[in-house]
Amino acid sequence: MSAGIEVVRAGALTTVQDEGRTGWAHLGVPRAGALDGPARRLANRLVGNARDAAVLETTVTGCAVRVTGDRPVLAVVGGAGCPVTVDGRPAPWGAPVRVPPGAVLEAGPAVHGLRGYLAFAGGLVPEPVLGSRSADLLSGLGPPVLREGDVLPLGPACAAPAADTVPWPGVPTELVLPLYPGPRDGWFTQGALRTLTSAPYRVSERSNRIGLRTEGPALTRARDGELPSEGMVLGAVQVPPDGLPVVFLNDHPTTGGYPVVGVVAESALAGAAQAAPGTPVRFVRA
């Protein structure tokens, strides 16, 4: 019997994620993929998977899954720090653990950070859509958000797990976002641009996989009206009518009509995946 996992506790928001759906933005298809790419890649490395293997991404409350089939499965829970158990017994966080057939692996609520990653040897192999197994919450492509009773197949384990140890990425106490101005920074006053790169902001509780919303001083427009829809990229900082910057994350739309005041370097976005509401945010000129 082939190995797989059955969802016992789905948690607040648990999805399947890999590296994402690249190469389709010109057709209006977003990237999706794991918000914390470095954490997902490290989790895969620790169980011997290819870096693009699909994993589970949890949000705040974790999840619990039962191993199906007739063989043990090597798994690791990483990303957001949390308690880990196998059939109720404590297990290590951030290190591989062998889960027997029928046993339940549980990632508990996050104690720091927001998004956890559960990787399993062989990787999750639901049917790919446009070359990716990632769930996209905006478009609805890929596997749906997981519910209790869902069963996901695993691929065959194909490599030995990493023998050395690598530190897990830390959870930011302050989110520093390098910002490249434009293309619509001219739609804002000079005072607004100074405010953006000098005033304190913080992560809003309304943030999600589509965008990191901020709280802080509103940016003042230099001109009225709206733009025709134009292309959006990962990391675009769009400013809606309330004047509060929104940093687009992996499930962002590919077009939009509000002006984009700048673009955050993609290398800085992994921290946004783990920044809890209230975390200070600073935009700095790249």
Side-chain angles (χ1 to χ4, degrees):
M1 181 178 177
S2 299
I5 60 167
E6 177 187 1
V7 179
V8 175
R9 181 176 67 83
L13 177 65
T14 301
T15 57
V16 177
Q17 299 294 341
D18 57 17
E19 288 198 322
R21 216 165 263 110
T22 57
W24 298 96
H26 65 295
L27 296 178
V29 179
R31 175 184 298 192
L35 290 191
D36 190 341
R40 182 192 60 80
R41 289 190 289 271
L42 179 52
N44 272 326
R45 183 171 180 268
L46 290 172
V47 295
N49 287 344
R51 58 182 283 141
D52 61 347
V55 303
L56 294 183
E57 179 181 274
T58 66
T59 308
V60 181
T61 59
C63 73
V65 297
R66 176 180 289 108
V67 169
T68 64
D70 54 9
R71 64 174 173 86
V73 170
L74 192 67
V76 66
V77 178
C82 67
V84 180
T85 61
V86 175
D87 275 350
R89 294 184 293 274
W93 173 91
V97 58
R98 196 166 297 277
V99 185
V104 173
L105 171 68
E106 179 156 22
V111 294
H112 54 80
L114 293 180
R115 293 177 172 89
Y117 293 90
L118 282 69
F120 305 89
L124 299 167
V125 290
E127 192 68 26
V129 177
L130 297 180
S132 170
R133 296 183 166 93
S134 287
D136 184 335
L137 301 187
L138 186 63
S139 71
L141 292 175
V145 173
L146 295 188
R147 297 180 178 180
E148 280 80 6
D150 286 349
V151 177
L152 295 168
L154 294 174
C158 56
D164 56 342
T165 57
V166 177
W168 284 90
V171 173
T173 55
E174 179 185 48
L175 195 57
V176 179
L177 300 177
L179 183 76
Y180 295 91
R184 303 299 177 186
D185 49 324
W187 282 56
F188 298 88
T189 66
Q190 287 300 311
L193 298 177
R194 286 192 295 271
T195 294
L196 179 63
T197 54
S198 63
Y201 287 86
R202 58 189 176 274
V203 176
S204 167
E205 64 181 9
R206 297 184 299 129
S207 300
N208 54 28
R209 282 185 50 87
I210 295 170
L212 182 137
R213 294 181 177 271
T214 64
E215 298 172 346
L219 302 184
T220 305
R221 293 268 291 268
R223 57 184 294 182
D224 296 325
E226 298 302 339
L227 291 160
S229 289
E230 59 183 0
M232 296 288 150
V233 298
L234 183 66
V237 181
Q238 192 181 65
V239 183
D242 64 6
L244 297 178
V246 179
V247 183
F248 276 163
L249 301 179
N250 294 49
D251 286 2
H252 73 86
T254 54
T255 61
Y258 299 136
V260 172
V261 68
V263 178
V264 170
E266 183 175 343
S267 59
L269 296 180
Q274 303 295 359
T279 299
V281 178
R282 280 195 301 123
F283 294 96
V284 298
R285 281 186 174 266

